[in-house]
Amino acid sequence: MATKTKKFEDELKDLETIVNQIDSGELTLEESIGAFERGVMLVKALNGKLDEVERKVELLTRSAGGELRTAPFEASSEDEHHAGAKDDDETPF
């Protein structure tokens, strides 16, 4: 039997539903724990899909001669650190 993989958007909607259920306070403790566990699994699956997409993204650049080229996108850990620090620590001007 083949397993059909859900779309990213469908899994994100499922996660939002779980969060709303937990936030509503209408679930029992056991139901909340089960929902939390399903939510954690969905977050892991969604992060895996985002990582996969990030590996597939290519940058479109223009050469000195004006020709368009593609190159794989490679975010360095330094770029990620600066992006996060800018939001928290740096003044925008």
Side-chain angles (χ1 to χ4, degrees):
M1 184 170 122
T3 303
K4 186 172 182 177
T5 305
K6 281 185 152 183
K7 291 181 182 177
F8 180 87
E9 292 80 6
D10 293 337
E11 287 187 331
L12 184 59
K13 188 169 186 155
D14 290 346
L15 180 60
E16 290 172 348
T17 300
I18 289 171
V19 169
N20 288 334
Q21 288 174 336
I22 293 172
D23 283 347
S24 73
E26 296 175 358
L27 299 177
T28 64
L29 177 61
E30 292 78 17
E31 290 171 334
S32 293
I33 291 171
F36 178 77
E37 289 173 346
R38 286 193 309 276
V40 168
M41 290 175 54
L42 281 170
V43 167
K44 287 181 182 178
L46 291 167
N47 281 334
K49 288 182 179 182
L50 287 174
D51 289 344
E52 183 180 329
V53 169
E54 185 176 297
R55 286 190 298 270
K56 291 181 180 177
V57 170
E58 292 186 340
L59 294 176
L60 185 60
T61 59
R62 188 176 298 272
S63 69
E67 295 180 25
L68 293 175
R69 297 182 185 173
T70 59
F73 173 76
E74 295 178 21
S76 70
S77 61
E78 186 174 313
D79 290 341
E80 292 172 0
H81 174 74
H82 285 299
K86 186 174 184 177
D87 292 338
D88 297 334
D89 301 334
E90 295 180 10
T91 305
F93 46 93

